[in-house]
Amino acid sequence: MDSAQDVERRHLLLHAAYDAASVRAMERPLLDDNVPLMRMAASATAQVAARMLDDVDVDLDHARVVLLAGAGDNGGDGLFAAAALAEEGAKVTAIAVGRALHDKGFAAFVRAGGKVLVLDPAADIAGCSAGFSAGEAGERLQAAIELAQRAHLIIDAMTGIGLVGPLRGIPATIAASLGMAPHDGDPSAPLPYRAATPNREPSGELPMVLAVDTPSGVGVDDGSLPGPYIPADMTVTFGAMKPCAVLPPATFACGRLELVDFGFDLDSRNPVVTAVGGEQAGEAIRLPHAMDSKYSRGVVGLVTGSARYPGAAVLTVRAASRANTGMVRYLGPERAQNMVLAAVPEAVLGKGHVQSWVVGSGVPEAAALKDGETDIQRETIARLLAHYELAVDATDDDPAYDMPPIVVDAGALDLLPGQVPPQVVVTPHAGELAKLVNRLRGDAPRVDDENADGAALDSAVLDPAGRDEPVSAADVLAEPLRYARLAHDLTGATVLLKGAVTIVVGESDMTLASGVAPAWLGTAGAGDVLAGMLGALLAQYDEDAEGVDADEYADDVASLAAAGAYLHGVAASIASESEQRGWQEPDVFGMTGRHRFNAIGHPIVASDVVKAIPDAIAELLA
Ligand SMILES: NC(=O)C1=CN([C@@H]2O[C@H](COP(=O)(O)OP(=O)(O)OC[C@H]3O[C@@H](n4cnc5c(N)ncnc54)[C@H](O)[C@@H]3O)[C@@H](O)[C@H]2O)[C@@H](O)CC1
Ligand SMILES: [K+]
């Protein structure tokens, strides 16, 4: 039997991601003990490379492999791995993209019969001629790119955790030619436009790419894509996951993840981001007690849907009522009330005591109302949210802290007060988060922001006070962690930023992520269902439980929000019968692989997700 410590460590290994500084700190004691980490890394890389070639029926004897080798230890890993492949008969060429190569790795590679192509005229690499002309440098670069394009496998060992900023120089040129690069005027590198396959199955196109530790060029610590990078079919990563393995958009450039466990003391450092696991999400579900009543199991109040969008009322109420609540109360216009009652006769109309609120789904934002038009739901929500506004000099006994948790979705986001307590959970997608941030900073909208009708706003007025430029949806998609943190800093709210990998930022530094949902979930009403489910999970929570202090309460709200996203994703997987996910935990090198299903599944509507909620809960509790 595994001890509790083993189970906890395994959870961290498969879910937690640590920044470069933490990885170096965790390596240190092992290096001091002369544990041959680089040899272990290289051996794993070579074995994964051989497996990839085998998967596409290429014998090592006939394999053409190109190693892109940087000057640092990442290049060292690559050279030792390439040496091992060359010894097995593969035809391997190392392309030196920097001015040096890892000495011992290079020596091993040459001994194994590998060939080297040096690109930088200023390089100083033993036995390799340098000082060639600019013209020859250009020809060598071209030859290197063609060689790589004709290879069966590219091993990308240009940079790992030592990357600083976007790739520059020759590595940048190589990455732009072989991989992806920003377009003119667009600060963020685009993502490869590929269909979402189960298990991040490689496309099967040659050359395949194996990234060593991290795909070169990605933002290791924040998951951004600051410049050119090479998307990988597989990333073999060492010691612990780095944030780029979990956080979007970089995680989508990693392909399948394989982790080499060095036995790091993972408890010794705080992860930057932790992916929610099933067990953790299951803890958010309160089991009914023998003495329970509908009230003690949790009552959710919903101010959702509107005369314009009554369907959202139905979806949120159905989702909340299926996600383990004692009762739901609905407040809304008559048409929506009638629809709610027809769909959920169990719902209670009108005000009353609740343990959580859900507001804003299917409620028009202010910008969508015509001049002078009012919306009854917005008025109710505004009155409710006023109770959550913290006084400027709020103390611990500010009454806002005593309000029940509230999910602020969609059309209510523009009603959110400036400073709120952490039991306020905002659930924007990228475009909504951009608007929220701009409003709270007093910025004007930028051209690429869209109004409610999908038409571009043309008033690109920049802030004369010289503040940062207004944020666009594209900015948020390019750096979701940064902007989710900014939204939290501006509001105090727990921020759940929706996406293929959903990010939750709460009071503590730790960020949570959930990528369990299949891409089929990107469908109208899915956000309404999530809001209802979040309300239900928050209503089950007992903040008066013994020993829960304010910090813990804030952390628990963040965990519940992430668990809600996870449960939503599991329900979508069940509904769509899909094994595809936005993010998948890594395989651990040397452990027998999990049984992999490969069901791509089928399309769904949001109502299908609602129906699957009870099964999803049962799955998490099993
Ligand atoms: N420290 C250790 O004990 C271990 C480290 N390992 C490997 O070592 C890597 C870290 O090695 P290093 O610290 O040498 O760093 P890297 O090899 O990741 O990166 C340093 C190299 O990248 C270049 N570089 C940095 N920023 C650049 C930019 N913006 N544009 C172009 N080039 C840039 C530098 O000039 C240098 O040549 C890990 O990712 C991992 O692959 C593994 O061997 C396992 C053990
Ligand atoms: K790399």
Side-chain angles (χ1 to χ4, degrees), residues 68 74 155-161 210-217:
L68 305 173
N74 195 249
I155 300 178
D156 167 16
M158 295 200 292
T159 60
I161 61 173
L210 170 60
V212 177
D213 207 13
T214 71
S216 301

Side-chain angles (χ1 to χ4, degrees), residues 116-385:
V116 183
L117 176 57
V118 177
L119 299 186
D120 192 331
D124 181 13
I125 298 167
C128 299
S129 62
F132 40 84
S133 68
E136 186 179 340
E139 282 164 24
R140 285 182 178 223
L141 183 67
Q142 199 48 42
I145 288 164
E146 280 166 22
L147 197 65
Q149 281 165 338
R150 284 199 311 268
H152 295 112
L153 177 70
I154 296 172
I155 300 178
D156 167 16
M158 295 200 292
T159 60
I161 61 173
L163 175 70
V164 182
L167 280 181
R168 290 180 307 269
I170 293 168
T173 309
I174 294 270
S177 305
L178 296 174
M180 307 294 292
H183 298 303
D184 278 347
D186 176 354
S188 61
L191 280 162
Y193 194 70
R194 278 207 291 254
T197 50
N199 307 314
R200 296 191 174 180
E201 209 55 60
S203 63
E205 274 171 49
L206 294 179
M208 299 177 291
V209 176
L210 170 60
V212 177
D213 207 13
T214 71
S216 301
V218 304
V220 174
D221 286 351
D222 67 359
S224 66
L225 298 172
Y229 69 96
I230 305 183
D233 295 294
M234 292 248 0
T235 296
V236 56
T237 197
F238 310 126
M241 281 194 293
K242 326 300 179 285
C244 61
V246 177
L247 288 169
T251 181
F252 304 123
C254 292
R256 247 148 90 165
L257 292 165
E258 186 133 345
L259 177 77
V260 184
D261 185 5
F262 285 163
F264 282 177
D265 179 8
L266 298 169
D267 248 347
S268 64
R269 307 287 299 198
N270 285 327
V272 172
V273 54
T274 306
V276 193
E279 214 169 300
Q280 241 184 327
E283 285 166 15
I285 295 155
R286 178 187 182 275
L287 294 176
H289 298 197
M291 300 296 287
D292 264 343
S293 70
K294 62 189 176 191
Y295 298 111
S296 60
R297 290 192 58 206
V299 180
V300 188
L302 299 106
V303 192
T304 53
S306 56
R308 202 184 286 190
Y309 310 111
V314 175
L315 285 172
T316 49
V317 170
R318 286 185 66 212
S321 61
R322 290 203 157 226
N324 192 30
T325 35
M327 188 164 113
V328 295
R329 296 185 188 276
Y330 177 71
L331 279 77
E334 196 177 338
R335 172 144 181 257
Q337 286 186 3
N338 292 338
M339 287 172 62
V340 163
L341 277 187
V344 186
E346 299 86 352
V348 174
L349 299 178
K351 284 188 191 146
H353 189 69
V354 302
Q355 274 95 47
S356 77
W357 286 104
V358 179
V359 302
S361 323
V363 173
E365 57 173 0
L369 296 176
K370 295 189 192 73
D371 269 353
E373 187 186 350
T374 55
D375 181 277
I376 173 110
Q377 294 294 73
R378 288 183 61 82
E379 288 166 17
T380 309
I381 293 167
R383 278 198 303 276
L384 178 58
L385 281 176

